[in-house]
Amino acid sequence: MSAEGCLFCAIATGERPGNVVLSDEVAFAFLDARPVFKGHVLVAPAAHAETLTDLPASSVGPFFERVQAVAAAVERGLEAGGTFVAMNNRISQSVPHLHVHVVPRNRKDGLRGFFWPRTAYDGPGEAETYASRVREALLTP
């Protein structure tokens, strides 16, 4: 199923060009048009889903099997030392179709750590407060 006007759905159906590297009933993967490094691949579910929380639970495992396969292929095919695998949900998600970035990495490639600043909890009490809020949210859908 595709969403009207979705760029990634149009690439999946061939309506828009894309350097597709994988396409099956579960997922499709293609080169990012604006790669962090050459060989940067986006893996997206074949059925339109905007975010990870929109993807049916029964599709999560098969989808991430494709992500895993693409990560391995990027390393082997591009002789990369490893990969950076990441996903945005809503914030910083430039196309509203779930997708996972698989970026080839090599030592001293210039990419340093994460793209965002780090912070610290104000002691174990504050950390426990955050942990408690997430545990509670897991119990109530």
Side-chain angles (χ1 to χ4, degrees):
M1 166 205 303
S2 66
E4 186 76 27
C6 175
L7 172 64
F8 288 177
C9 287
I11 292 170
T13 62
E15 296 170 42
R16 296 279 304 253
N19 296 99
V20 177
V21 298
L22 173 142
S23 182
D24 65 17
E25 69 286 350
V26 173
F28 62 101
F30 55 98
L31 293 183
D32 191 311
R34 294 178 17 237
V36 173
F37 295 120
K38 293 176 182 177
H40 175 167
V41 175
L42 302 179
V43 184
H48 184 84
E50 187 171 326
T51 67
L52 181 60
T53 56
D54 298 324
L55 190 65
S58 61
S59 299
V60 172
F63 176 68
F64 276 97
E65 287 174 4
R66 288 359 180 242
V67 173
Q68 182 181 48
V70 168
V74 164
E75 287 185 21
R76 279 193 318 273
L78 303 178
E79 298 178 359
T83 55
F84 175 72
V85 179
M87 173 191 320
N88 291 304
N89 273 315
R90 291 186 190 88
I91 307 300
S92 295
Q93 186 180 6
S94 58
V95 175
H97 186 125
L98 172 65
H99 57 283
V100 175
H101 297 259
V102 179
V103 180
R105 295 292 315 273
N106 287 293
R107 293 202 185 284
K108 299 185 181 188
D109 60 16
L111 193 61
R112 298 204 186 279
F114 293 102
F115 303 122
W116 51 84
R118 305 286 263 197
T119 190
Y121 294 104
D122 293 331
E126 184 181 35
E128 179 50 38
T129 298
Y130 276 82
S132 176
R133 289 170 61 185
V134 173
R135 281 193 299 268
E136 188 174 316
L138 281 168
L139 297 174
T140 45

